[in-house]
Amino acid sequence: MKETFGEKVIDFNLNLKYSGLLPDGFRVLNPYLDNPETLDVMQQFYHKYYNDSEVRKFIIGINPSRHGAGVTGVPFTDTKRLKDICGIEMKSAYTHEISSVFIYDMIEAFGGAKLFYQKFYINSPFPLAIIRKTKENKWINANYYDDRTLFEMVKDFMIDSLKKHISLGIDTSKVFVLGKKNADFIQKLNHEAKLFDELKILEHPRFIQQYKSKEKQLYIDKYILTLNNLEK
């Protein structure tokens, strides 16, 4: 019997590991190894919303945060929205992540989680959380592009990950990239690996929530217009 989209995502996540080099002061976190409940809620999510073989449009983030997918295993989904909107409770952790707030407000305006996830798949070119050590010896979130050496070290892994995402059942004619700096680097990868025909760039949810919160509805409208233009 043919694997569903969701089963393919689950298989991808279960086999995720980064064994390459990293610059000093950087670490990769794998949520699926750190917390057994992450595996459980991640599988519940993909069985619930991706239990079919439909082709999806791809929305590309940066890399998971410690408080979003770094805990739940579901991109841009903290434990609060996982429970309140998706109906999947995580008992071992409670997280609030500002990017998740924007994404789920946008999903609600789009028509709800069921409709949205029927059409779209969200993930990242580097699908594991990255953290870096500060001068005060604290570990904080990091982006794959924060350090040029880091990017060079993870670049091949990112291309391979994007190819695996595509193999799940992704429409490569047009993809949506979250964040302008992220888009610059995805363009480089796309130029090298010829993955997608066209990139559409949207402001990153964290940027909107932190710096443009008064204009949030305008950005929600922009997202929905941009995403819906695909289907015309």
Side-chain angles (χ1 to χ4, degrees):
M1 188 174 173
K2 189 177 180 182
E3 266 192 315
T4 66
F5 195 109
E7 287 167 342
K8 291 178 184 178
V9 178
I10 291 166
D11 188 58
F12 170 79
N13 288 336
L14 291 177
N15 288 285
L16 256 182
K17 60 181 179 180
Y18 179 75
S19 55
L21 297 173
L22 292 168
D24 289 343
F26 286 90
R27 284 175 54 197
V28 167
L29 302 179
N30 187 331
Y32 309 110
L33 299 179
D34 296 339
N35 185 346
E37 195 182 10
T38 300
L39 279 176
D40 180 44
V41 298
M42 176 273 290
Q43 291 182 68
Q44 287 184 57
F45 176 87
Y46 285 106
H47 282 308
K48 181 172 184 175
Y49 291 108
Y50 292 84
N51 192 30
D52 58 60
S53 300
E54 296 300 314
V55 172
R56 261 85 173 179
K57 306 292 186 181
F58 194 12
I59 299 174
I60 303 178
I62 302 171
N63 45 264
S65 77
R66 289 176 300 162
H67 302 302
V71 173
T72 63
V74 180
F76 289 99
T77 305
D78 58 17
T79 63
K80 186 176 190 307
R81 270 140 282 277
L82 186 69
K83 179 184 176 182
D84 293 348
I85 298 173
C86 302
I88 301 169
E89 184 174 5
M90 193 166 186
K91 294 186 171 72
S92 62
Y94 179 86
T95 59
H96 175 93
E97 208 269 330
I98 66 170
S99 292
S100 183
V101 175
F102 177 85
I103 286 292
Y104 277 89
D105 285 348
M106 181 274 294
I107 285 174
E108 182 181 1
F110 186 88
K114 184 179 179 182
L115 177 63
F116 181 83
Y117 288 124
Q118 276 178 352
K119 298 174 182 292
F120 298 99
Y121 170 71
I122 308 177
N123 216 310
S124 302
F126 194 92
L128 297 169
I130 303 174
I131 55 174
R132 64 179 176 86
K133 188 184 283 188
T134 67
K135 292 177 182 177
E136 296 78 27
N137 284 327
K138 293 180 180 178
W139 290 95
I140 62 172
N141 283 328
N143 299 318
Y144 72 79
Y145 53 62
D146 285 347
D147 180 277
R148 182 165 292 280
T149 303
L150 173 65
F151 173 67
E152 291 300 326
M153 286 180 172
V154 301
K155 186 177 76 168
D156 288 344
F157 178 80
M158 289 168 63
I159 289 174
D160 183 59
S161 292
L162 288 169
K163 288 179 177 177
K164 287 176 178 175
H165 288 315
I166 290 168
S167 74
L168 302 173
I170 291 296
D171 180 351
T172 58
S173 64
K174 189 183 292 182
V175 296
F176 302 93
V177 183
L178 306 185
K180 293 179 180 179
K181 189 168 184 181
N182 186 30
D184 290 341
F185 285 86
I186 299 299
Q187 287 277 26
K188 292 178 184 179
L189 299 182
N190 196 44
H191 180 74
E192 181 175 327
K194 306 290 189 293
L195 303 167
F196 309 110
D197 296 341
E198 182 183 358
L199 274 64
K200 300 288 286 186
I201 304 166
L202 289 160
E203 288 78 6
H204 196 277
R206 176 171 287 275
F207 169 80
I208 297 166
Q209 288 288 118
Q210 282 189 316
Y211 302 110
K212 299 289 185 179
S213 59
K214 291 181 180 177
E215 302 164 54
K216 180 175 176 176
Q217 189 58 50
L218 292 175
Y219 285 100
I220 287 175
D221 293 344
K222 179 180 178 181
Y223 263 66
I224 290 173
L225 283 171
T226 304
L227 297 174
N228 276 330
N229 281 343
L230 280 173
E231 287 142 26
K232 289 183 178 179

